[in-house]
Amino acid sequence: MKRRRLFKLITGMLTIALVASACSGGGGKSAEKTSESSAQPSASASEASGSPAGKADPFEKYDPPIELHVARAVDQTWTYPKGDSIDNNVWYREYENLLGIKVVHDWTALATEYNRKLNVSIASGSLPEVFSVSASQLKQLADAGQLEDLTGAYEKYASDHTKKLQQGDGGAALASATFNGKLLAIPVVNAPIYEPNLLWVRTDWLEKLNLPEPKTLEDVFRISEAFANEDPDGNGEKDTFGIAVNNYLYGPITSITGLANAYHAYPQTWIKDESGKVVYGSTQPQMKEVLAKLQEMYKGGQLDREFGVKDGNKVAEDIAANHFGMAFGANWNPYVFLDAVKKNPGMEWKPFPVPSVDGTPTKASAGFSASGYVVVRKGFEHPEAVVKMLNLHEEVVHGSRRNEGQFITVEEGGERINTSRLSIVQSGVSNDGVIESLKLLREAIKNEDESLLKDALTETDKYGPTVDYLKTGNMDNWAVAHQYFGFEATMDNYTGDRLLMTAFGGQTPTMTDKWATLDKLEKETFTKIIMGAASVDEFDKFIEDWNKLGGEAILQEINDWLSSQQ
């Protein structure tokens, strides 16, 4: 596979990992005519923002209708069904017909320019009534007292279905939108359960070398050594390696993150220490052990001596050239391996949970469960409008009114047009929802009964291809089926407290200014240590430099930030 094609594939799969839950699968209940909901006027702003006097109709229609002034990011590559536009589309029409909300754009901006334009609006105080923000913008607006309190509106108008989906990460996303006890934003929830690094192993090489499947970390190291030294590709040359690593070090493919997790190290992750204070995973003592082991493996020829100059695309090419037998990466890595499998008949990969160095179960590090926020300008008369819009999104994308061909993807003229992104207040499926869906998928595949998927929120498209592969071995469905095998390994090993989600998903002021420098320091130092160009003890100096160059200030800002959300 050419680099450009692979890059597009990897980018696409990364996007899928974050939003597949919002764009695939389906709750199979018949559509309900919720657009015939009550036409009574909504509660006043003061009533909605205060203590709720009881539940209200989550789709209560404004009569007369209201105007909602918004700002939003757009993309010039977006396409629309015939006759539609950013100003007139299926979502905006449904807002007006069902809820009595007429959307008016104060302004739109290309995604690359949105934050700059919004920062200008924040600085000038000329804010739209509803708009999307990053975590750092949320904090800035919260500190400035420019946001409407949504606590009462959410309690009164959020449907039970919405609350279940929003709480599916244990409440972390909602907590991140809460300051001094007030809910100041609607979080865009996603599912970090898609992110854990699994250990992917070439089982055809295991069979050729008569090696058992890995159950312990020592097994992994023995396999790595054998793959590097016992000519598993059978060409008589010493051109194979144990574990694939790319020059970025981290991420969802050919990463060292999985090995770090085996040592209970969590690089590039904000974790809480025993006192509850946030620390940086890359600077913890367990990471030094990881680097020492990687240095040992590098010296022993188990890592590619040129990994420091090879990105993920190049490493994928080397996998296709039969140079690697193991890699740490996400559940969707089979799409990276697919080109290699097609070029090498008989190549077979299998996912395994990452065993730990001491027998204590490995926890997998993952990102934060909120990828953004929707906020309401302070003083807007109808803050409950955003909660009703969220209810609509959760219902037609993840609920009983799910409509794949209207609110999610429209097929027109041979083109698949994504309409779900036009929703103004949206959210994905959280960890609990994904896990429930994967359990249904497993039962459906096990029993070859697609009807068991009726309540699944996501991943239902994996059913047919996986069943076909298991029955026929059809290579056209190899990647889909093997991603499903990755799902099985993930849900059997990385749910509950086995999934370690980063404790902080925002960006502090010092992080904005200093993170590029700190990230470069980390990658360069760790690469030098692994390649033996620096002693493992250089790690101690790295910690000192990291703190001096801004790390200590960032940690203080993060802990202060989290304290304000208590």
Side-chain angles (χ1 to χ4, degrees):
M1 183 179 287
K2 299 297 183 183
R3 291 189 187 185
R4 182 175 299 176
R5 288 178 56 213
L6 182 61
F7 176 78
K8 288 181 178 179
L9 173 63
I10 292 171
T11 302
M13 289 310 301
L14 278 168
T15 302
I16 289 171
L18 292 175
V19 302
S21 53
C23 301
S24 64
K29 299 178 183 178
S30 60
E32 298 176 358
K33 299 183 72 174
T34 51
S35 58
E36 296 178 0
S37 57
S38 170
Q40 297 176 5
S42 110
S44 67
S46 58
E47 184 181 359
S49 295
S51 298
K55 291 292 294 181
D57 177 1
F59 299 100
E60 187 176 37
K61 186 174 183 179
Y62 294 101
D63 185 14
I66 65 168
E67 283 192 353
L68 182 69
H69 289 255
V70 306
R72 67 176 306 173
V74 297
D75 193 301
Q76 58 189 359
T77 65
W78 286 1
T79 56
Y80 304 88
K82 187 176 180 180
D84 281 8
S85 67
I86 187 61
D87 297 298
N88 178 20
N89 56 70
V90 63
W91 282 94
Y92 288 19
R93 290 190 292 271
E94 192 72 356
Y95 291 145
E96 188 164 5
N97 295 335
L98 175 68
L99 302 176
I101 298 172
K102 180 175 176 57
V103 174
V104 177
H105 290 137
D106 277 2
W107 52 267
T108 62
L110 294 177
T112 53
E113 290 293 315
Y114 178 82
N115 280 333
R116 183 192 62 79
K117 192 164 184 177
L118 179 58
N119 286 335
V120 171
S121 294
I122 292 174
S124 65
S126 56
L127 295 172
E129 291 165 343
V130 172
F131 52 101
S132 296
V133 296
S134 65
S136 56
Q137 290 165 334
L138 171 62
K139 179 68 162 57
Q140 180 183 355
L141 290 164
D143 289 346
Q146 293 182 275
L147 300 178
E148 187 66 29
D149 180 5
L150 303 178
T151 309
Y154 183 84
E155 286 303 314
K156 186 168 186 176
Y157 286 93
S159 68
D160 291 341
H161 180 62
T162 290
K163 288 183 176 180
K164 179 181 178 181
L165 293 178
Q166 288 280 305
Q167 286 282 355
D169 63 347
L174 284 169
S176 73
T178 302
F179 295 81
N180 298 318
K182 297 180 179 180
L183 180 67
L184 298 183
I186 300 295
V188 181
V189 176
N190 55 58
I193 191 67
Y194 285 110
E195 298 179 28
N197 266 207
L198 302 170
L199 174 65
W200 291 90
V201 182
R202 278 193 64 170
T203 52
D204 59 309
W205 280 9
L206 289 181
E207 293 173 6
K208 183 171 183 177
L209 300 180
N210 196 29
L211 295 169
E213 293 183 346
K215 291 183 172 57
T216 68
L217 196 58
E218 283 305 314
D219 290 341
V220 175
F221 296 145
R222 278 194 291 268
I223 292 169
S224 176
E225 185 175 7
F227 283 177
N229 297 315
E230 296 181 21
D231 193 27
D233 62 350
N235 68 355
E237 299 180 16
K238 189 171 173 52
D239 59 355
T240 56
F241 306 96
I243 296 176
V245 176
N246 71 77
N247 63 352
Y248 184 73
L249 298 183
Y250 309 120
I253 63 170
T254 60
S255 169
I256 70 168
T257 299
L259 181 62
N261 292 167
Y263 282 82
H264 311 301
Y266 308 100
Q268 299 223 314
T269 304
W270 306 106
I271 59 177
K272 291 187 176 181
D273 64 15
E274 294 180 355
S275 70
K277 184 178 179 180
V278 170
V279 296
Y280 185 48
S282 294
T283 63
Q284 301 310 295
Q286 294 86 349
M287 197 64 205
K288 187 174 183 179
E289 298 179 60
V290 178
L291 295 174
K293 185 61 183 181
L294 286 167
Q295 186 185 83
E296 176 189 321
M297 295 174 73
Y298 182 86
K299 289 178 179 177
Q302 297 176 44
L303 306 184
D304 182 359
R305 300 194 68 80
E306 298 180 352
F307 85 85
V309 295
K310 293 183 177 181
D311 62 15
N313 293 318
K314 179 58 181 173
V315 177
E317 292 176 4
D318 287 344
I319 289 173
N322 263 326
H323 292 320
F324 295 104
M326 288 192 291
F328 292 98
N331 65 74
W332 51 264
N333 275 210
Y335 291 90
V336 178
F337 303 146
L338 182 59
D339 193 51
V341 171
K342 289 180 177 178
K343 290 179 179 177
N344 299 278
M347 177 185 282
E348 181 59 23
W349 293 85
K350 181 177 178 179
F352 297 89
V354 178
S356 76
V357 67
D358 57 7
T360 300
T362 300
K363 293 183 179 182
S365 52
F368 197 63
S369 59
S371 58
Y373 303 86
V374 175
V375 296
V376 176
R377 186 187 71 201
K378 189 170 183 62
F380 176 52
E381 186 180 358
H382 299 287
E384 72 284 348
V386 295
V387 182
K388 296 179 185 180
M389 294 165 83
L390 176 63
N391 291 335
L392 175 62
H393 180 91
E394 300 289 36
E395 199 65 25
V396 301
V397 176
H398 305 130
S400 61
R401 284 191 64 209
R402 179 178 171 81
N403 191 324
E404 174 71 30
Q406 185 178 13
F407 292 98
I408 300 173
T409 305
V410 172
E411 295 197 18
E412 187 174 276
E415 181 185 5
R416 289 174 60 85
I417 302 171
N418 182 343
T419 53
S420 66
R421 59 192 170 197
L422 299 174
S423 171
I424 292 174
V425 187
Q426 57 181 273
S427 197
V429 175
S430 58
N431 277 345
D432 285 357
V434 170
I435 292 168
E436 288 178 15
S437 295
L438 291 178
K439 288 178 179 177
L440 292 172
L441 178 61
R442 172 181 269 177
E443 286 302 305
I445 290 173
K446 177 182 177 182
N447 294 284
E448 292 187 27
D449 183 357
E450 192 170 6
S451 70
L452 294 174
L453 294 173
K454 59 182 174 58
D455 293 322
L457 299 173
T458 184
E459 303 304 347
T460 56
D461 60 329
K462 303 294 187 296
Y463 172 80
T466 302
V467 170
D468 178 65
Y469 178 81
L470 291 172
K471 293 174 70 174
T472 70
N474 181 358
M475 292 303 292
D476 289 340
N477 293 323
W478 185 92
V480 177
H482 282 70
Q483 182 182 21
Y484 167 72
F485 302 154
F487 287 157
E488 287 192 306
T490 299
M491 63 178 163
D492 286 344
N493 296 279
Y494 297 119
T495 60
D497 65 358
R498 295 282 302 279
L499 183 71
L500 193 149
M501 186 174 71
T502 187
F504 180 72
Q507 188 173 47
T508 71
T510 304
M511 200 183 297
T512 301
D513 294 336
K514 303 292 187 180
W515 191 254
T517 299
L518 294 173
D519 189 59
K520 181 181 178 182
L521 173 68
E522 178 176 337
K523 302 280 180 50
E524 288 183 349
T525 303
F526 288 8
T527 299
K528 288 179 181 178
I529 291 174
I530 294 170
M531 298 178 74
S535 164
V536 175
D537 290 333
E538 188 72 15
F539 179 79
D540 301 322
K541 185 176 186 304
F542 157 72
I543 296 175
E544 294 179 11
D545 292 342
W546 188 87
N547 282 316
K548 290 177 182 177
L549 291 173
E552 186 174 17
I554 289 172
L555 288 171
Q556 184 64 52
E557 290 170 345
I558 289 174
N559 282 289
D560 289 346
W561 186 328
L562 295 179
S563 294
S564 72
Q565 294 178 321
Q566 300 301 315

